[in-house]
Amino acid sequence: MWNKFVAFSDNNEQVIAKLSPDITVDNSFDTRGLSDALTALGAGDLYVLEDEVTRFINLAKDMKSEAYVGITIAEVRDAKVEVVLSDHDMLASMIVTGAYKGKPLKGPEIVQALAQAHITKGINKLALKKVLVMSHQLKAGATFTQPVAKGKNPIQGSDAKFVALVKDPTKQVLAPKAEDEGGKVDMLNLGETITVAENDPLMKRVPATKGKPGMTVQGKPIPPKPGNDAVLKPGKGTKVSPNDPNLLVAEVSGMPILKERTVDVEDALCLPTIGVSTGHVKFKGNVVVFGNIESDMVVRTTGSLTVGGFIESADVQAQGDIEVAKGIIGHNVSEDDKKSCVVKSGGSIKANYAQFSELQAANDIHLAVHCMNNEIRCGHNLVVCDANERQGTLSGGSAKVGDKVSCVNLGVEGDTATHVHAFARFQMFKDRQAKLKEQYTQAQEATMGLIRKELEFKKIPKAERTQEQADKLEADKSEANEYLEKVKHARDTHEQELEVALADTNIEVKNKVYSHVTVQFGEEKVTTKRIHGPSIFSFNQFEIKFSSMLESEDVGQEL
C-alpha cells in the first residue's frame, strides 16, 4: 500500500508520504512494505525519518488533514563527521557516517569539525585524508572511526641517582682472576687491593629531573611528576667536594665502603688468610680475607667481614655483614651438639653453604646450596636457595627465624630430624599486644572515673563550686580522653601490624618437604610423616596451616 502514498518532492531530495482522498487505511496499517516502496521509488538510500513515519501512520488512521497535505518521511543527507575525545582528552577520533545519497565530506568540513572540538595539537594529516577518502566509499548510514589526533604524554621526572666512582672491595674478594692464558684461577690473585687517597672522587650525584609537560589534543598542558630528589650525604672519612656539590670525595686514605647514598672510607685490614701465621684477629674496622679463616682462629671486627674462601671451625664475630665466597664448615664437638664453628653477625650472613655450625645474624641468613645440621638464629629471613631456585636444601639441626623461611627442599630422606621455628617474633607481638590491651583497659577505667567524678561535682550546689575546680576537672577529662585515644590507636596499629606479619611470615618450600620435619610457630608444632611436594606452612595465631602449591589441602596435624 505504501507505493500509493510515497513520492519524491519537487527537488528530488525528499520523499513525501501523502494520503489520497480515494484511499482509506484501517488499523492494521503499519511500516510493512515501506522499505520495498522506497526501493521501488529509487529512494532506498535516503535517510528514513522514523518519527515522521510513525506520525504519518497515526494521522492516516485517524484521516487527519495533515496526512492529505503530505509529510516528509525520508530525505537526502550528506556525509557527516563527529569528533569524540577519549583517554582523558589524549586521543581524538573522527566518526564518519556515510551519505544518504548526499555529498561526501569536503576538506573545510573536516577542519571545521576539528575547530569546533578545539583540537589543536597532535593532528595527523594522513589520518584526515583517510577520513576524506572513506566518506566517499561508505554505504549509506555506515560508520567509520579514525583516530586523527594524539596528545603528548608528559615525561615524568627521574629520581636522583648516586653513581659510585670506585669499585666495591667486598666484591673483589669474590671474583679471583685468571692466572695465565690457560685460564687457571688462583684464589689468592684478586688483583690490586682497592684503596683510595685523600680527595679521590668516590661518588657522584645525578640530580632528580623535573620532567617535561605533556599536552592534550586540545592544547591543555599536563604537568609531569617531578622525580624524588635526595642529597649526597658525607660519610665516615668522606666529604662533599667544595667545588662540586654533587661530588663526594675522600677526606682520608683507606678502603671505600659503598652505601646507598654515600661512601665510607675506613681502615681495612686485608689478609691473605687468618691462621697460625696471623694469630687471632681483633680489628676496629672492616676485615678482608682473600683466602680462608682456618681452624681454631678467633676473629672480631667492628665492621664487615669478607672471606674469599672458607670459614672452618673458627669463632667469628662481626658487627657488620659477613660474606663468604665458599662455605662455613664445622663439626660437633660434644654430645650436646655444641658446634666447633661459630659465626655471628650484627647484620647479615651470606655464604654458599654451611654445615655443622652455629650461625647467628641480626638480619638475614642466605645460603645458596645447603644448610646441613646447623644451629641457626636470625632476626629476619632465612633463605636457602640459589639464584635459579634449583638447589637449596635445609636439613637437620634447628633454625629459629624472626620472619619467614624459604628453601627448595626442607628435610632429607631418612631419619634425620629437622626443626624449623618461623616467625619467632610472634611471642614478642603477643606480649606487646597484651600490654597494650591492659593499658587501654586502665585508660578506660581512668576516663570512667573522671566521668563519675564530674557527675558527683555537678550534684554540689553551684554556690559551693569554684571555677578553678571546674576547669581542672575539664582539663583532666581532656587529658584522659587524649591518652585513651593514643593507647587505642597504638593497640589497633599493633594488631594490624601483627595481621600483616602473619600474612607475610610463612615457610615456603619450592620442591619437596621430607618426613621428620618439625615446623613451629609460637607454641604450636606439627611434624611431617611423609613426603610432600611444593608446600607452604602458615600460621593464624591459633593453628599451623599446611597448603600444597599443587593442590589445595588443609591437613592440620595429619602431615
Side-chain angles (χ1 to χ4, degrees):
M1 182 175 287
W2 277 98
N3 58 347
K4 298 178 181 180
F5 301 150
V6 295
F8 272 111
S9 62
D10 293 339
N11 59 8
N12 289 328
E13 292 189 354
Q14 296 172 328
V15 173
I16 309 297
K18 187 176 180 181
L19 194 63
S20 300
D22 56 338
I23 299 176
T24 58
V25 297
D26 55 25
N27 287 332
S28 65
F29 179 52
D30 55 23
T31 58
R32 286 174 293 182
L34 175 60
S35 179
D36 293 338
L38 291 175
T39 302
L41 186 64
D45 289 340
L46 269 62
Y47 180 76
V48 177
L49 304 169
E50 302 288 351
D51 291 343
E52 295 301 294
V53 170
T54 302
R55 190 162 76 91
F56 174 76
I57 291 172
N58 293 332
L59 291 171
K61 289 178 181 179
D62 294 339
M63 300 181 68
K64 298 287 186 179
S65 60
E66 290 178 72
Y68 293 96
V69 174
I71 293 175
T72 301
I73 62 167
E75 63 186 10
V76 173
R77 285 194 176 182
D78 296 338
K80 74 172 186 178
V81 63
E82 177 187 6
V83 177
V84 294
L85 298 176
S86 59
D87 293 344
H88 305 288
D89 296 345
M90 294 297 288
L91 183 67
S93 301
M94 281 189 166
I95 302 175
V96 187
T97 304
Y100 294 87
K101 250 188 177 180
K103 300 174 184 177
L105 293 175
K106 295 180 180 179
E109 292 176 303
I110 292 177
V111 173
Q112 184 181 7
L114 290 173
Q116 289 176 341
H118 306 291
I119 308 301
T120 58
K121 298 295 180 181
I123 298 172
N124 187 331
K125 293 182 179 179
L126 290 177
L128 297 181
K129 289 182 179 179
K130 189 172 182 180
V131 169
L132 200 61
V133 170
M134 290 303 297
S135 73
H136 287 74
Q137 300 175 355
L138 286 174
K139 294 181 180 180
T143 60
F144 172 75
T145 302
Q146 173 65 48
V148 294
K150 189 175 182 181
K152 182 180 179 182
N153 286 314
I155 299 175
Q156 308 297 358
S158 57
D159 295 343
K161 297 178 182 177
F162 298 88
V163 182
L165 302 178
V166 292
K167 293 181 179 179
D168 189 346
T170 61
K171 300 296 185 286
Q172 181 190 34
V173 175
L174 307 178
K177 300 182 181 301
E179 188 178 50
D180 52 33
E181 293 181 358
K184 293 182 179 179
V185 175
D186 180 357
M187 294 305 298
L188 299 181
N189 178 17
L190 305 173
E192 186 177 349
T193 302
I194 298 171
T195 58
V196 296
E198 186 178 354
N199 291 323
D200 279 355
L202 304 176
M203 178 176 282
K204 69 176 181 180
R205 169 182 172 267
V206 180
T209 61
K210 295 181 179 179
K212 294 182 179 180
M215 193 77 70
T216 69
V217 293
Q218 294 180 321
K220 297 176 182 177
I222 304 174
K225 181 182 178 182
N228 296 319
D229 211 350
V231 297
L232 194 61
K233 291 184 176 180
K236 180 181 178 182
T238 61
K239 64 180 180 180
V240 176
S241 170
N243 302 320
D244 185 352
N246 293 318
L247 183 66
L248 195 68
V249 298
E251 275 189 315
V252 296
S253 299
M255 177 175 284
I257 306 300
L258 303 184
K259 297 185 177 180
E260 185 178 359
R261 296 191 315 188
T262 189
V263 180
D264 290 342
V265 176
E266 296 186 356
D267 292 333
L269 179 62
C270 300
L271 299 169
T273 61
I274 294 179
V276 176
S277 61
T278 62
H280 301 318
V281 172
K282 295 182 180 180
F283 188 72
K284 293 182 179 180
N286 302 298
V287 175
V288 177
V289 184
F290 299 147
N292 304 326
I293 298 179
E294 298 175 359
S295 298
D296 301 322
M297 292 295 104
V298 175
V299 179
R300 299 287 187 270
T301 173
T302 60
S304 62
L305 171 65
T306 305
V307 181
F310 297 94
I311 297 177
E312 184 173 359
S313 294
D315 181 357
V316 176
Q317 295 184 28
Q319 292 181 17
D321 295 337
I322 297 177
E323 187 163 359
V324 184
K326 293 186 177 179
I328 301 172
I329 305 170
H331 58 270
N332 294 337
V333 295
S334 63
E335 293 182 358
D336 59 358
D337 288 340
K338 185 178 179 181
K339 309 299 182 185
S340 66
C341 190
V342 178
V343 178
K344 297 181 179 181
S345 167
S348 298
I349 296 175
K350 186 175 183 181
N352 210 28
Y353 63 88
Q355 58 191 42
F356 296 100
S357 299
E358 180 183 342
L359 306 183
Q360 182 175 312
N363 294 328
D364 298 338
I365 294 180
H366 192 158
L367 304 172
V369 179
H370 69 249
C371 175
M372 185 170 67
N373 291 299
N374 297 298
E375 298 299 318
I376 299 285
R377 299 287 186 276
C378 63
H380 290 295
N381 301 321
L382 171 62
V383 179
V384 186
C385 181
D386 65 358
N388 298 320
E389 297 186 352
R390 292 181 179 175
Q391 56 182 351
T393 299
L394 172 57
S395 63
S398 65
K400 190 170 185 179
V401 181
D403 289 330
K404 67 183 297 183
V405 177
S406 178
C407 61
V408 176
N409 297 306
L410 179 58
V412 67
E413 291 184 3
D415 295 328
T416 302
T418 304
H419 185 188
V420 181
H421 183 176
F423 193 27
R425 297 183 300 128
F426 174 70
Q427 190 57 48
M428 178 193 73
F429 270 97
K430 294 297 291 182
D431 292 344
R432 174 67 175 160
Q433 189 179 49
K435 184 177 179 181
L436 288 171
K437 285 182 177 179
E438 177 62 25
Q439 287 180 353
Y440 183 66
T441 301
Q442 291 175 357
Q444 281 182 312
E445 291 174 354
T447 303
M448 291 304 297
L450 286 171
I451 291 174
R452 287 191 292 269
K453 189 175 181 180
E454 182 183 31
L455 293 173
E456 291 297 324
F457 179 73
K458 289 182 177 179
K459 292 179 181 178
I460 300 173
K462 287 186 178 181
E464 298 179 15
R465 302 183 209 166
T466 66
Q467 188 61 40
E468 183 179 353
Q469 290 174 320
D471 291 344
K472 185 178 185 307
L473 185 59
E474 192 62 33
D476 290 344
K477 273 181 56 186
S478 177
E479 183 179 347
N481 285 328
E482 184 178 341
Y483 178 70
L484 179 65
E485 287 300 315
K486 182 180 178 180
V487 174
K488 182 178 182 296
H489 177 73
R491 183 201 63 180
D492 295 345
T493 301
H494 185 266
E495 288 180 353
Q496 292 173 1
E497 290 174 353
L498 176 57
E499 289 178 4
V500 171
L502 285 168
D504 292 341
T505 50
N506 52 35
I507 299 174
E508 181 179 349
V509 185
K510 304 178 187 301
N511 185 37
K512 283 186 179 180
V513 180
Y514 292 92
S515 58
H516 300 287
V517 173
T518 299
V519 170
Q520 179 175 352
F521 287 89
E523 298 298 323
E524 298 297 316
K525 297 179 183 180
V526 294
T527 301
T528 58
K529 299 176 182 178
R530 59 185 179 89
I531 297 176
H532 300 271
S535 307
I536 293 178
F537 296 86
S538 58
F539 186 52
N540 64 4
Q541 297 194 54
F542 308 105
E543 61 179 337
I544 297 172
K545 295 286 186 177
F546 169 81
S547 61
S548 169
M549 295 185 193
L550 301 179
E551 59 182 29
S552 177
E553 57 177 327
D554 179 8
V555 296
Q557 299 288 335
E558 297 299 324
L559 292 171

